Amino acid sequence: MYGSPTDVRVKKISSSSANDNTAIYQASFTTLTPAMRESDRNAFISASIVGNGLFLLVTQSTAARYKKLDTSLKKVANSFSGKWR
């Protein structure tokens, strides 16, 4: 919202079977807060192809909170799949 993210790093951490077309990525980036301060963030991104569309579920937190929330964020990301076609 306050400019493009910087220091973006994305890594694929898992993918489902070919029938499901879902993959999970881990990302880290720096963004600006409303006060124009830099904020380091970490995220899990679930990507699922359904028909002709790409659907994403992003779970993220500040880098400082990420270690505490890592398991919960990953569990939510893993719950997302294209099986609901």
Side-chain angles (χ1 to χ4, degrees):
M1 185 170 179
Y2 300 98
S4 298
T6 58
D7 302 324
V8 178
R9 283 176 243 118
V10 179
K11 174 176 76 169
K12 187 175 188 179
I13 59 172
S14 71
S15 57
S16 305
S17 66
N19 296 337
D20 190 17
N21 292 327
T22 301
I24 298 179
Y25 299 85
Q26 188 172 17
S28 63
F29 57 94
T30 302
T31 189
L32 292 175
T33 68
M36 303 309 281
R37 293 188 183 118
E38 288 188 344
S39 175
D40 294 329
R41 316 287 287 186
N42 291 326
F44 287 107
I45 304 166
S46 295
S48 185
I49 297 172
V50 179
N52 292 327
L54 173 64
F55 294 84
L56 302 173
L57 173 68
V58 180
T59 60
Q60 59 91 30
S61 178
T62 62
R65 290 177 161 172
Y66 182 76
K67 198 168 222 175
K68 181 179 180 183
L69 298 173
D70 175 69
T71 304
S72 296
L73 295 173
K74 193 170 188 179
K75 185 175 181 180
V76 172
N78 282 324
S79 72
F80 186 71
S81 74
K83 292 181 182 176
W84 39 266
R85 294 177 206 188

